């Protein structure tokens, strides 16, 4: 069930010990000529944002260690330098999100929509399964080419860590792609 909350209310409740914000729609505030959610640098460890809508949020440098982001919408969110370790990213919507230099070590990325997502210089242990990596950018990321191009991930016009481009579309398992 969706319910609305402001950024200020979310931070206040989190600080007082509340961790369950499942289904919340974080209201975008007006500022700088556009609507945004300012959570830059916020410490939100172990927060439950299952099914929440935090699209267009500024989460640069935020600490989301252990967060439950199952089916959360992070469309066009800024997660540059965010710590997203050991988080549940199953079914997350990362459409056109920026995760430049993000730390995703130990997080499970399954069934994610990462169309146009930018993972430059991000840190991973593995690429997850059943993800959509169309026009995604992994330049300089600490992840192997084969970890992205496997496990039923959809790959299409995706920039690999070495800067090469997998044109695709590819879907499913393959050993390595010969050039």
């Amino acid at each position: 069930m969706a319910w609305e909350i402001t950024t200020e209310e979310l931070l206040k409740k989190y600080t007082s010990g509340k961790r369950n914000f499942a289904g919340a729609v974080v209201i975008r505030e007006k500022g700088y000529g556009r609507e945004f959610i300012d959570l830059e640098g916020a410490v939100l460890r172990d927060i439950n944002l299952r099914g929440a809508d935090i699209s267009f949020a500024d989460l640069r440098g935020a600490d989301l260690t252990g967060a439950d982001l199952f089916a959360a919408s992070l469309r066009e969110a800024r997660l540059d330098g965010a710590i997203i370790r050991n988080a549940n990213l199953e079914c997350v919507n990362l459409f056109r999100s920026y995760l430049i230099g993000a730390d995703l070590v130990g997080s499970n990325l399954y069934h994610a929509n990462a169309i146009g997502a930018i993972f430059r210089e991000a840190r991973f242990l593995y690429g997850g399964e059943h993800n959509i990596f169309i026009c995604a950018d992994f330049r300089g990321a600490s992840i192997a080419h084969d970890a992205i191009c496997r496990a039923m991930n959809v790959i299409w016009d995706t920039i690999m860590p070495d800067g090469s481009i997998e044109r695709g579309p590819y879907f499913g398992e393959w050993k390595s792609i010969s050039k």
Side-chain angles (χ1 to χ4, degrees):
M1 183 169 92
W3 51 283
E4 292 183 344
I5 189 168
T6 66
T7 305
E8 185 177 312
E9 290 171 324
L10 183 140
L11 291 171
K12 185 176 179 181
K13 288 181 179 188
Y14 181 88
T15 302
S16 70
K18 182 173 179 167
R19 297 293 180 265
N20 188 359
F21 298 92
V25 176
V26 182
I27 299 169
R28 294 192 301 259
E29 300 169 25
K30 299 251 186 228
Y32 306 111
R34 61 175 281 208
E35 294 180 3
F36 70 104
I37 299 168
D38 185 8
L39 291 167
E40 183 177 1
V43 175
L44 300 170
R45 291 173 155 258
D46 300 314
I47 193 167
N48 178 353
L49 289 166
R50 288 176 79 91
D53 185 354
I54 48 179
S55 297
F56 308 100
D58 182 351
L59 286 154
R60 290 176 292 171
D63 186 351
L64 293 162
T65 301
D68 187 352
L69 296 165
F70 178 89
S73 181
L74 289 157
R75 288 180 307 114
E76 297 189 40
R78 296 297 308 249
L79 292 147
D80 302 332
I83 302 166
I84 315 170
R85 285 180 163 254
N86 305 313
N88 180 4
L89 298 174
E90 187 172 352
C91 300
V92 70
N93 184 357
L94 295 170
F95 177 79
R96 293 180 54 183
S97 291
Y98 289 79
L99 294 105
I100 299 168
D103 184 349
L104 297 156
V105 172
S107 294
N108 59 338
L109 191 63
Y110 300 112
H111 300 278
N113 172 10
I115 296 172
I118 300 173
F119 295 100
R120 281 188 225 144
E121 300 176 17
R123 291 174 296 287
F124 293 87
L125 282 181
Y126 51 88
E129 300 173 4
H130 300 275
N131 298 304
I132 303 171
F133 295 133
I134 297 173
C135 296
D137 184 349
F138 288 93
R139 278 181 283 185
S142 67
I143 185 170
H145 179 282
D146 289 346
I148 298 168
C149 299
R150 70 177 214 22
M152 306 304 280
N153 289 333
V154 176
I155 310 297
W156 196 347
D157 290 338
T158 296
I159 303 172
M160 295 293 120
D162 66 359
S164 64
I165 300 174
E166 287 298 340
R167 296 281 176 211
Y170 303 117
F171 176 73
E173 298 280 345
W174 64 90
K175 296 285 183 200
S176 64
I177 301 179
S178 58
K179 300 288 177 200

